Amino acid sequence: MAMAFAMKRAATRAISGSIISRHLHASAGPKKIVGVFYKAHEYAEMNPNFVGCVENALGIRKWLESQGHEYIVTDDKEGPDCELEKHIPDAHVIITTPFHPGYITAERIKKAKNLQLLLTAGIGSDHVDLPAAAAAGLTVAEVTGSNVVSVAEDELMRILILVRNFLPGYKQVVNGDWNVAGIAYRAYDLEGKTVGTVGCGRIGRLLLQRLKPFGCNLLYHDRIKMDPELESQTGASFEEDLDKMLSKCDIVVVNTPLTEKTKGLFDKERIAKLKKGVLIVNNARGAIMDTQAVVDGCNSGHIGGYSGDVWYPQPAPKDHPWRYMPNQAMTPHISGTTIDAQLRYAAGVKDMLENYFKGEDFPPQHYIVKKGELASQYR
């Protein structure tokens, strides 16, 4: 035990004390910026505001290149011979998104001798090895708040889809069938149901505000209790004990970041404690769930329905078991990449790049790693 404590203390010193400093403030001269986004193919030209794809590159290519910077954009991010890997050794800035994450591992960080800044176009930076980034003196930042409305709205939609047993009805229409009983036997009203959110940051609070008019019993579990005025606005009650809250819930919504503490949070044992027939919505991160435990729960009926847009890994392979389990309403990772959200996170990335080139700080809420310190939600 003493040895474990000493190792932990040494690791903490390595992150917060003995940092190899890489100054955030850009030195004079052109910079190499690498962006990792999903390809839009024929859809790229269908909407001029579709900026979050490879083809439209956040709408900042002309601006960057007019200042003499090199801007490489790719969707090829996996394996030792991928395009991202080729550019890591001399990149100064890497931009990626949660929707098509470029995984910035400790090994990649070691190779990135020029790297100073890692930007997330969106929110959620768990695709970066954050302790390794902190130890290397890198700055990690994201566009906090850019897509919280988008995700909260999507969560509300998924709750209704599951509660009303919508997808079987849609599939009947597509298949030329008509069987009201095959839908109605497990369709319910949302009014009067107990809904609990695991994590109650910006997205969780927005979801609770949107659920309040439905007349639900609203609960939340978080490391920080809301102030009384905000609790009153949301109509939600704080639950300090996670498992005690979960046992009360007809619907569970996952809104916590992916950290070492939350990885696999919903394992077989925790899922067994949930109400039989519980509905789960997870737009947070796929790795918060034990993949097979969710499959088993859906197959047995203990989980009455599961919906979300997050998987592990991403993109999800064709044989991912969540594609084939019953009573699921899964999609690709889309909730936070609406056109409105893309415009917001593209503007946020440009603003932070401008600050970087000028040697100015970012808004404090955007920092995930700064001067060796991780943001509180990732500690």
Side-chain angles (χ1 to χ4, degrees):
M1 188 172 181
M3 183 178 291
F5 178 77
M7 289 173 67
K8 184 175 181 181
R9 186 172 56 190
T12 303
R13 281 201 303 265
I15 291 176
S16 61
S18 304
I19 295 168
I20 303 169
S21 180
R22 304 192 196 187
H23 296 294
L24 171 61
H25 298 167
S27 54
K31 296 289 175 282
K32 182 171 184 175
I33 298 151
V34 178
V36 182
F37 313 114
Y38 53 81
K39 273 190 177 177
H41 303 289
E42 70 273 19
Y43 302 106
E45 297 181 359
M46 292 184 177
N47 188 333
N49 292 324
F50 190 2
V51 295
C53 56
V54 165
E55 292 84 350
N56 295 327
L58 298 184
I60 58 176
R61 181 178 294 282
K62 288 183 179 178
W63 171 69
L64 286 171
E65 292 180 348
S66 70
Q67 299 185 55
H69 303 298
E70 182 182 6
Y71 189 29
I72 304 293
V73 178
T74 183
D75 73 324
D76 184 18
K77 63 188 181 71
E78 303 292 345
D81 299 319
C82 71
E83 194 69 16
L84 173 60
E85 198 76 22
K86 294 175 187 175
H87 296 287
I88 280 178
D90 59 346
H92 297 91
V93 179
I94 297 176
I95 308 167
T96 185
T97 79
F99 318 106
H100 187 77
Y103 294 103
I104 308 301
T105 62
E107 291 74 21
R108 283 179 164 173
I109 288 171
K110 287 178 185 176
K111 297 176 185 176
K113 302 303 181 185
N114 291 341
L115 190 60
Q116 296 175 320
L117 176 61
L118 292 163
L119 289 177
T120 298
I123 57 174
S125 297
D126 48 272
H127 53 276
V128 177
D129 186 323
L130 296 176
L138 300 178
T139 296
V140 182
E142 59 188 41
V143 191
T144 299
S146 58
N147 55 12
V148 292
V149 168
S150 314
V151 177
E153 287 183 1
D154 187 273
E155 289 177 341
L156 178 56
M157 174 189 72
R158 291 175 192 275
I159 290 171
L160 289 167
I161 284 172
L162 292 178
V163 169
R164 302 307 293 263
N165 203 24
F166 175 84
L167 279 183
Y170 169 76
K171 290 174 182 176
Q172 282 188 22
V173 171
V174 171
N175 294 331
D177 297 329
W178 189 279
N179 181 1
V180 173
I183 306 159
Y185 84 100
R186 60 192 308 272
Y188 298 88
D189 295 340
L190 181 54
E191 185 178 30
K193 303 300 181 292
T194 297
V195 184
T197 176
V198 181
C200 199
R202 292 176 176 86
I203 295 169
R205 292 194 295 270
L206 287 172
L207 174 65
L208 292 172
Q209 289 168 358
R210 283 153 176 76
L211 282 169
K212 187 177 181 181
F214 284 88
C216 304
N217 176 32
L218 301 176
L219 307 175
Y220 75 97
H221 170 82
D222 197 88
R223 59 193 176 82
I224 300 173
K225 191 177 187 294
M226 285 190 277
D227 63 62
E229 184 179 354
L230 195 52
E231 274 195 352
S232 177
Q233 289 174 7
T234 61
S237 299
F238 177 67
E239 293 278 345
E240 186 173 1
D241 186 297
L242 174 60
D243 288 320
K244 188 176 290 186
M245 182 191 82
L246 292 175
S247 68
K248 302 175 184 178
C249 293
D250 302 301
I251 301 156
V252 173
V253 187
V254 182
N255 276 311
T256 188
L258 176 61
T259 67
E260 285 303 313
K261 292 179 181 178
T262 62
K263 187 175 182 180
L265 180 67
F266 283 82
D267 56 13
K268 182 179 179 179
E269 288 73 24
R270 177 156 277 129
I271 288 173
K273 297 176 184 177
L274 305 180
K275 278 187 179 182
K276 182 173 174 55
V278 67
L279 306 177
I280 301 175
V281 171
N282 177 19
N283 280 2
R285 288 296 181 266
I288 293 171
M289 317 301 292
D290 179 312
T291 299
Q292 190 58 46
V294 172
V295 174
D296 293 344
C298 286
N299 283 333
S300 71
H302 190 77
I303 297 175
Y306 185 90
S307 184
D309 69 336
V310 288
W311 310 67
Y312 186 78
Q314 289 189 186
K318 290 185 178 181
D319 62 351
H320 196 293
W322 286 0
R323 292 180 183 268
Y324 309 107
M325 63 190 182
N327 301 320
Q328 58 89 358
M330 295 296 296
T331 67
H333 196 165
I334 56 169
S335 63
T337 189
T338 62
I339 296 300
D340 303 283
Q342 289 177 45
L343 292 173
R344 289 191 291 265
Y345 62 66
V349 166
K350 184 179 179 182
D351 287 345
M352 283 193 283
L353 286 173
E354 283 186 312
N355 288 6
Y356 167 67
F357 296 140
K358 293 175 183 176
E360 298 174 356
D361 283 341
F362 304 154
Q365 68 272 20
H366 289 353
Y367 285 105
I368 302 301
V369 176
K370 181 182 182 183
K371 296 180 180 177
E373 292 290 331
L374 273 67
S376 59
Q377 66 266 36
Y378 286 103
R379 289 177 195 159

